[in-house]
């Protein structure tokens, strides 16, 4: 009986959880593959927040095809509301990623499908290589959901993506050395 009650409470919680879909971000000064990749990363990170139920991107694409929209052609708030109504979600997120010289900007907007009003807007300015936008867009996903980003993600931004990967690799190397030395004296030094 307890298992049944827990299952029912989980179903009720899922039903009461708000729903959300993400449209592809418009690329301005970056190519469409980069914009799509960054949109995918943003969507994945939104899913990691568990703040809302996320509609699968293939469903969004199907609706856009049925309505004669190209993903990149649905950039206005009105289009987002129309697609959101067809999907049956409560919120839609759309945005743009632009480049001016060496500066990138990301502008994201969450719109209520019911009212058509903008619920949340966020923007980020980033100077550096395009691959640094990955961390920025991950942080932005947490921010637009009004949630605190995980410490590991904050650390990744603080160190920079490359330094973060190098620090992670260095930790693994030290641990591997310690484990090998424990099993067979001298093996850790050889491993290092």
């Amino acid at each position: 009986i307890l298992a049944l009650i827990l299952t029912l409470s989980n179903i009720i919680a899922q039903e009461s959880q708000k729903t959300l879909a993400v449209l592809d971000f418009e690329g301005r000064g970056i190519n469409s593959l980069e914009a799509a990749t960054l949109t995918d990363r943003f969507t994945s990170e939104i899913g990691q927040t568990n703040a809302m139920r996320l509609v699968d991107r293939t469903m969004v694409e199907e609706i856009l095809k049925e309505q004669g929209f190209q993903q990149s052609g649905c950039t206005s708030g009105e289009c987002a509301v129309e697609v959101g109504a067809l999907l049956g979600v409560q919120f839609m997120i759309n945005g743009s990623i632009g480049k001016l010289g060496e500066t990138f900007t990301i502008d994201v907007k969450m719109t209520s499908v019911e009212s058509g009003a903008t619920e949340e807007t966020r923007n980020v300015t980033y100077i550096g290589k395009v691959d640094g936008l990955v961390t920025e867009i991950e942080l932005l996903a947490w921010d637009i959901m009004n949630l605190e980003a995980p410490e590991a993600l904050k650390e990744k931004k603080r160190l920079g993506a490359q330094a973060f990967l190098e620090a992670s690799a260095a930790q693994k190397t030290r641990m591997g050395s310690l484990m090998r030395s424990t099993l067979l004296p001298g093996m850790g030094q050889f491993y290092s």
Side-chain angles (χ1 to χ4, degrees):
I1 293 177
L2 182 59
L4 179 61
I5 292 170
L6 289 174
T7 304
L8 286 175
S9 66
N10 284 341
I11 291 171
I12 291 168
Q14 286 180 349
E15 291 300 318
S16 66
Q17 193 175 23
K18 295 179 180 174
T19 54
L20 167 78
V22 178
L23 292 171
D24 270 350
F25 293 166
E26 179 183 11
R28 298 177 182 164
I30 66 170
N31 69 48
S32 60
L33 291 176
E34 290 169 334
T37 300
L38 290 167
T39 303
D40 288 343
R41 181 55 68 97
F42 178 84
T43 304
S44 296
E45 202 66 28
I46 286 283
Q48 293 293 317
T49 69
N50 291 319
M52 293 188 192
R53 283 190 316 166
L54 187 62
V55 171
D56 189 58
R57 299 207 15 98
T58 56
M59 290 180 66
V60 175
E61 291 170 9
E62 286 177 22
I63 292 292
L64 289 169
K65 281 183 189 175
E66 286 176 12
Q67 297 303 308
F69 292 114
Q70 295 291 331
Q71 267 261 17
S72 60
C74 187
T75 57
S76 69
E78 296 82 25
C79 178
V81 168
E82 184 179 331
V83 171
L86 292 169
L87 287 167
V89 297
Q90 293 158 314
F91 298 96
M92 290 294 293
I93 292 181
N94 65 329
S96 63
I97 304 168
K99 182 179 181 190
L100 296 168
E102 296 301 312
T103 303
F104 292 92
T105 62
I106 307 171
D107 295 286
V108 179
K109 177 172 65 170
M110 181 168 35
T111 306
S112 166
V113 172
E114 183 180 338
S115 68
T118 299
E119 296 289 323
E120 301 285 341
T121 60
R122 298 291 189 277
N123 60 53
V124 172
T125 302
Y126 170 78
I127 299 173
K129 291 183 172 183
V130 70
D131 47 351
L133 288 175
V134 172
T135 304
E136 295 295 334
I137 205 128
E138 290 170 337
L139 287 164
L140 193 57
W142 289 87
D143 188 31
I144 199 154
M145 301 309 287
N146 292 312
L147 296 171
E148 187 75 21
E151 287 303 317
L153 190 52
K154 291 179 189 176
E155 185 71 5
K156 183 177 169 185
K157 178 180 178 166
R158 192 181 69 73
L159 292 175
Q162 187 61 36
F164 180 76
L165 293 174
E166 289 170 5
S168 296
Q171 280 184 330
K172 290 178 185 175
T173 302
R174 287 187 209 117
M175 181 55 86
S177 178
L178 176 66
M179 295 299 289
R180 285 167 176 79
S181 288
T182 303
L183 294 174
L184 189 63
M187 188 55 111
Q189 287 82 3
F190 181 72
Y191 172 76
S192 293

